Amino acid sequence: MQELAKIYGDTLLLDKKFNYCPGCGHGVVTRLVAEAIEELGIRQRTVSVVGIGCGGFSHHYMDIDAIEAMHGRSPAVAIGYKTASPDKIVYTYQGDGDCSAIGLAELLHGANRGLPVTCFMINNNLFGMTGGQMSPATLENQVTATTPKGRDVHVHGYPLRVPEMMADMVGAKYVAREAVCDAKSIRKAAKSVRNALQCQIQGLGFSFVEFIVPCPTGLKLSVPDAYKWSREKMVEYFKPQVFKNEVGQNNEN
Amino acid sequence: MRTKCTFSGSGGQGSALLAKLVCQGAIKQGLKVVMTQTYGIEQRGGDSTGYVIVSDNFIGNPLVENDADISVALSPSIYDGCVDGAVEGGIVLVNSSLITEMREREGVKQVPISASDMAVELGSVKCANIVMLGAALAATNMLEFETVEQVLRETLGAKKPALLEMNLNALERGRTVYASAAE
Amino acid sequence: MKSETLFLKNTQTFAEAMVRCGVRYHFAYPITPATEVMKHTAVILPEYGGRMVQMESELAVANALAGCACTGTLGATSTSGPGMALMQESISFMAAGELPCIMLDAMRVGPGDGDIVGAQSNYFQATRGGGHGDYRVIVLAPASGQEIVDLMPDAVKLAYTYRTPVLFVIDGVTCTMTESAIFPEAHDYAAGFDTSSWAYTGTADHEKRFLLTGSYTHSQGEEMNERLRAKFERIKEKEQRWESIQTEDAEVVLVGFGIHGRMGQDLVANMRAQGKKVGLIRPITLWPFPDKAFEQLPESLKSVLVVEMNHGQMLDDVRLAVNGRVPVHFLGKTGGDMPLCTLADMTAQINTLL
């Protein structure tokens, strides 16, 4: 392990056993976040506020302080934290249920407030930890534990696109959607994680990145099929893109 | 000694200011004082009442509960409330410029004072509340007259000398008129 | 800030007192009659290097307060019934996470939207914990502006000593009352507490730590509850506060908190002047409830009268404390133009019991 630490640095806790299911996209995003923290040299002043759901495990694999908040409230906790300790780097790590179902108000008002905090929303398009129920991001006609005949949009509404809602908010300075379904998209996602944290380090304002991740267990698919499904179905509806990037502009000034 | 006061009127007549001036005077004299918001006697929106209790010891009960020793009724809409809210032996100062019909209540002394007319003579109808304040001070022993003069000087003095002059006159007018009106 | 006497609305007194005792961040959402507190802190906190932060809901307020507390910094909030209801989840969270903070419930008429006029309708919500789980928070019930000022240093010390939210409950009539209070010289009581052993301030000076109110094994849930239970027992033993007046030979004891306790002081004086043996117990901590005040009830006691601005909430605790020794009667009222029992009402009721 010490040999690996030489390569990966101190942020990732490499001897910690993963709780994520085999093939889970969380593993990829967690590592991207850890690598960005390491690269930016902010480990000792970074605090993660995690949501309820599989994302709550994420901080266990990193040598940083963390707060496990109540379901959906991480952005409000992060704002309270940042208000009292503006020199710390605070990011939330939440699932799509935590972030866009129960916690949508705190997220959007957090974005609009424009305080420099970062929210990472890991969208696996269902409630993973509780066994694969519909989330706001579940696709039309998609079968889940609570939509046995598929999501009926006339009853449950339409899959919710979150960063689109923030793109117009003045307080949000970096807004992106990424996917971690193949090597190419993972490399792009890594860049967005760095930009989002950089946005906070520079004190520009709120930053947000959504990640489209496969959940083989929740989707009841093999790992390769889950990745293929996410790459094809999810990415078609939730198009990866950088909606807003004022980090670069600031760098050029 | 404890004095319970009800200062009541319609919007713009300055009953709240009246209550506040009494409070400031009480603090100046090192007395205990409590001011509560309106509970009860208003019959319509726009009326306002300030309840003030001035005491030389701790005020346990902060309520004026139909036991006001001194009431000021500036407008007709709150007149009945002031009369009913007086304690046996209490005094109600009635702004007779606006309240033209009075009714008897045994054990309660009602003193008509044409405060609005006097205020107009003194320069502005707005100082009717201060005329009544002068009368209220004359009717009770709750505060020294000079203390309230001092409070007026401090609140208005530097910024509005002309206004201060008028209000000091109004206060004095209220004091002198009470004695004759109370006959 | 030097010692001075201020004539303020009691909501403003609350704001002044908490800021002068060390609160630097006040999270709030407008709600009558608590709004006056945030209006006041918005003006004064910047002078102390702090800030009032208006949030989008009481849900967000209470969670931002938790986030602030995680840094070891003393934060506060102020609200009224409906806002308290929304905060309950986070109060449970802060109790479980042992996060210190100061809260005010400026109580008004409930349930539902209720009415904005003052009440004591949230006694259950405050003392039973409207949130989920076996937890308690310290509940203080001052009866005057001066008592708000006098209790505030203790509130901050209790919050940090026991690492717990401390909740003030004050009825809206007292909140909107204006009276003078003597403020001692400002002192940051929070600064005297070392939070470095628990605050989540980053791993620069400590090993990784994280706030967990959940459990990864079933035993963790049990351990958390045992730890909290032991703490609550300590608080119950050491922190009961009340005021007793002339209970030694009383035939009837009046029990009231907040404004009714305050009115009871006049009532006892009036009654005693008439030779009637009436006493008063005024709980100052509602949790822990001052059971000890009821341990030594005199032989002369015939009955107890509980008076509240509700339909009988603290009544339950008084009955538990009296434990059947004498009858416990109740007089209560909530809402209306006069939303509380007058001294005349209370006097008449006492006279029927003598």
Side-chain angles (χ1 to χ4, degrees):
Chain A
M1 288 302 167
Q2 280 178 341
E3 291 306 304
L4 285 173
K6 280 182 190 162
I7 302 166
Y8 291 102
D10 299 323
T11 306
L12 266 180
L13 294 172
L14 295 157
D15 51 355
K16 187 87 186 169
K17 279 184 189 156
F18 254 10
N19 292 70
Y20 298 139
C21 302
C24 172
H26 267 300
V28 179
V29 180
T30 300
R31 178 173 158 179
L32 294 181
V33 173
E35 286 178 349
I37 289 169
E38 184 71 26
E39 194 183 312
L40 294 165
I42 54 174
R43 179 179 65 85
Q44 292 188 324
R45 62 181 178 116
T46 296
V47 172
S48 176
V49 187
V50 300
I52 298 296
C54 301
F57 292 118
S58 59
H59 76 85
H60 290 281
Y61 317 119
M62 291 183 236
D63 189 16
I64 56 172
D65 275 3
I67 299 158
E68 301 199 2
M70 296 302 283
H71 196 24
R73 313 291 170 233
S74 309
V77 172
I79 282 162
Y81 192 106
K82 190 78 177 182
T83 299
S85 280
D87 56 327
K88 297 292 193 296
I89 302 300
V90 192
Y91 75 89
T92 74
Y93 189 108
Q94 310 167 260
D96 47 313
D98 195 89
C99 215
S100 73
I102 197 166
L104 189 64
E106 284 76 12
L107 177 72
L108 292 184
H109 280 285
N112 190 53
R113 187 175 296 271
L115 215 64
V117 298
T118 304
C119 290
F120 295 129
M121 166 171 144
I122 292 73
N123 179 358
N124 61 9
N125 102 329
L126 41 74
F127 285 91
M129 181 173 268
T130 48
Q133 298 83 11
M134 178 187 68
S135 85
T138 297
L139 295 176
E140 186 171 359
N141 296 325
Q142 186 184 337
V143 172
T144 70
T146 50
T147 52
K149 293 184 174 173
R151 178 178 185 153
D152 179 352
V153 294
H154 302 294
V155 178
H156 290 120
Y158 297 85
L160 188 62
R161 296 182 178 114
V162 174
E164 279 84 346
M165 289 189 267
M166 294 175 186
D168 262 354
M169 292 182 182
V170 180
K173 301 298 187 191
Y174 188 83
V175 181
R177 178 187 292 119
E178 302 291 353
V180 293
C181 305
D182 54 31
K184 196 177 160 198
S185 64
I186 290 171
R187 275 196 297 276
K188 282 178 67 188
K191 206 173 160 195
S192 261
V193 175
R194 278 196 303 274
N195 279 337
L197 290 174
Q198 191 62 251
C199 179
Q200 180 175 174
I201 291 166
Q202 292 177 7
L204 296 178
F206 183 83
S207 49
F208 176 87
V209 184
E210 173 185 0
F211 302 88
I212 305 299
V213 307
C215 176
T217 307
L219 292 169
K220 299 187 177 23
L221 293 172
S222 70
V223 172
D225 286 349
Y227 276 74
K228 185 168 182 282
W229 186 87
S230 295
R231 205 161 48 231
E232 290 168 3
K233 301 284 185 193
M234 281 295 282
V235 163
E236 184 189 353
Y237 186 88
F238 296 102
K239 291 194 171 54
Q241 57 198 291
V242 175
F243 296 91
K244 201 173 189 179
N245 180 5
E246 296 186 14
V247 182
Q249 294 171 17
N250 190 281
N251 279 346
E252 284 159 15
N253 287 343
Chain B
M1 198 192 72
R2 189 170 296 186
T3 310
K4 293 191 165 191
C5 318
T6 299
F7 302 113
S8 203
S10 297
Q13 287 189 305
S15 56
L17 177 64
L18 187 40
K20 218 171 161 188
L21 291 170
V22 170
C23 291
Q24 285 171 341
I27 293 165
K28 224 176 219 326
Q29 288 185 211
L31 297 166
K32 304 287 178 195
V33 61
V34 171
M35 179 167 70
T36 49
Q37 279 191 335
T38 287
Y39 290 107
I41 71 168
E42 275 77 10
Q43 295 305 308
R44 60 186 188 97
D47 289 341
S48 100
T49 302
Y51 296 102
V52 177
I53 302 175
V54 179
S55 176
D56 50 16
N57 58 6
F58 176 75
I59 299 164
N61 180 15
L63 303 178
V64 178
E65 40 182 78
N66 292 332
D67 58 353
D69 298 297
I70 179 87
S71 298
V72 170
L74 285 166
S75 68
S77 58
I78 45 71
Y79 168 73
D80 280 334
C82 284
V83 173
D84 295 338
V87 73
E88 279 280 313
I91 300 169
V92 181
L93 304 179
V94 182
N95 181 6
S96 56
S97 305
L98 301 175
I99 302 164
T100 48
E101 284 182 41
M102 286 167 56
R103 65 176 168 88
E104 279 294 302
R105 188 189 146 195
E106 209 178 321
V108 173
K109 180 170 160 188
Q110 299 187 51
V111 181
I113 293 170
S114 52
S116 295
D117 294 323
M118 292 175 191
V120 172
E121 286 167 28
L122 289 162
S124 165
V125 72
K126 283 187 174 174
C127 68
N129 59 342
I130 306 298
V131 173
M132 284 304 210
L133 177 55
L137 295 175
T140 62
N141 291 319
M142 65 176 164
L143 296 176
E144 303 289 336
F145 193 80
E146 291 69 28
T147 312
V148 180
E149 279 187 331
Q150 191 59 34
V151 169
L152 280 176
R153 282 203 182 88
E154 284 166 17
T155 14
L156 298 170
K159 287 183 214 155
K160 298 171 181 169
L163 215 56
L164 173 66
E165 182 73 19
M166 180 180 74
N167 280 293
L168 287 174
N169 290 338
L171 194 70
E172 178 58 30
R173 183 72 178 273
R175 174 164 79 155
T176 50
V177 87
Y178 176 79
S180 51
E183 288 303 309
Chain C
M1 220 29 106
K2 291 280 165 210
S3 171
E4 59 186 324
T5 301
L6 297 175
F7 182 64
L8 297 171
K9 217 176 236 199
N10 282 332
T11 35
Q12 296 170 325
T13 295
F14 189 90
E16 279 288 344
M18 73 183 191
V19 171
R20 286 167 189 242
C21 287
V23 167
R24 290 295 172 266
Y25 299 101
H26 179 214
F27 302 90
Y29 181 87
I31 183 167
T32 307
T35 311
E36 294 287 340
V37 183
M38 66 193 288
K39 280 165 67 181
H40 200 75
T41 53
V43 175
I44 64 170
L45 264 174
E47 296 165 17
Y48 289 81
R51 198 181 301 164
M52 189 282 287
V53 183
Q54 182 170 335
M55 300 296 287
E56 66 272 16
S57 72
E58 285 91 348
L59 276 179
V61 162
N63 283 281
L65 186 54
C68 172
C70 283
T71 68
T73 310
L74 181 63
T77 189
S78 51
T79 187
S80 188
M84 274 306 287
L86 287 176
M87 291 188 192
Q88 293 301 325
E89 177 193 54
S90 184
I91 297 173
S92 166
F93 175 76
M94 287 189 279
E98 303 193 74
L99 299 173
C101 67
I102 300 292
M103 310 181 81
L104 166 66
D105 178 3
M107 291 182 288
R108 61 188 233 189
V109 171
D113 282 336
D115 186 12
I116 57 168
V117 78
Q120 296 179 329
S121 54
N122 301 344
Y123 182 92
F124 283 153
Q125 190 186 40
T127 60
R128 268 38 179 186
H132 51 290
D134 277 296
Y135 76 93
R136 302 288 182 141
V137 298
I138 294 173
V139 182
L140 301 174
S144 66
Q146 189 61 56
E147 197 170 33
I148 293 170
V149 174
D150 295 345
L151 280 176
M152 196 59 78
D154 286 355
V156 176
K157 288 182 210 162
L158 288 167
Y160 276 100
T161 302
Y162 295 104
R163 287 179 53 197
T164 174
V166 172
L167 169 62
F168 282 82
V169 293
I170 309 176
D171 68 84
V173 175
T174 300
C175 281
T176 52
M177 219 154 80
T178 311
E179 57 186 333
S180 47
I182 304 163
F183 288 78
E185 199 172 330
H187 180 78
D188 185 345
Y189 290 92
F193 289 87
D194 181 9
T195 60
S196 66
S197 65
W198 61 267
Y200 307 89
T201 51
T203 54
D205 59 0
H206 59 253
E207 296 278 295
K208 172 185 172 73
R209 58 173 75 132
F210 60 97
L211 176 62
L212 177 71
T213 64
S215 45
Y216 289 106
T217 62
H218 295 313
S219 63
Q220 279 181 322
E222 188 179 15
E223 283 157 18
M224 175 177 73
N225 271 288
E226 281 302 322
R227 193 177 67 244
L228 292 175
R229 190 189 58 78
K231 178 168 87 175
F232 297 149
E233 288 301 324
R234 276 204 308 283
I235 297 172
K236 242 163 130 171
E237 184 48 41
K238 290 174 71 175
E239 306 298 347
Q240 295 183 22
R241 283 160 211 215
W242 72 92
E243 179 185 30
S244 282
I245 298 178
Q246 293 190 275
T247 52
E248 307 77 21
D249 62 342
E251 291 174 15
V252 177
V253 164
L254 173 76
V255 186
F257 70 95
I259 193 164
H260 280 309
R262 170 183 185 155
M263 290 165 76
Q265 300 180 9
D266 273 9
L267 184 135
V268 170
N270 295 346
M271 288 288 200
R272 289 277 170 174
Q274 297 167 30
K276 295 174 179 174
K277 292 184 172 170
V278 177
L280 170 74
I281 295 175
R282 180 174 70 85
I284 297 170
T285 52
L286 301 187
W287 195 87
F289 186 77
D291 294 317
K292 291 177 184 175
F294 295 83
E295 279 171 5
Q296 304 293 329
L297 293 175
E299 287 295 317
S300 56
L301 191 67
K302 291 197 286 195
S303 63
V304 167
L305 176 68
V306 179
V307 185
E308 297 180 74
M309 293 172 75
N310 57 45
H311 288 307
Q313 298 193 18
M314 182 177 70
L315 173 64
D316 288 6
D317 282 333
V318 176
R319 284 196 169 133
L320 286 169
V322 171
N323 198 18
R325 282 172 287 172
V326 292
V328 177
H329 302 277
F330 178 71
L331 181 66
K333 184 176 191 299
T334 196
D337 284 333
M338 177 64 86
L340 67 163
C341 300
T342 61
L343 196 66
D345 297 334
M346 292 158 70
T347 306
Q349 186 74 17
I350 294 267
N351 276 325
T352 67
L353 300 173
L354 282 164

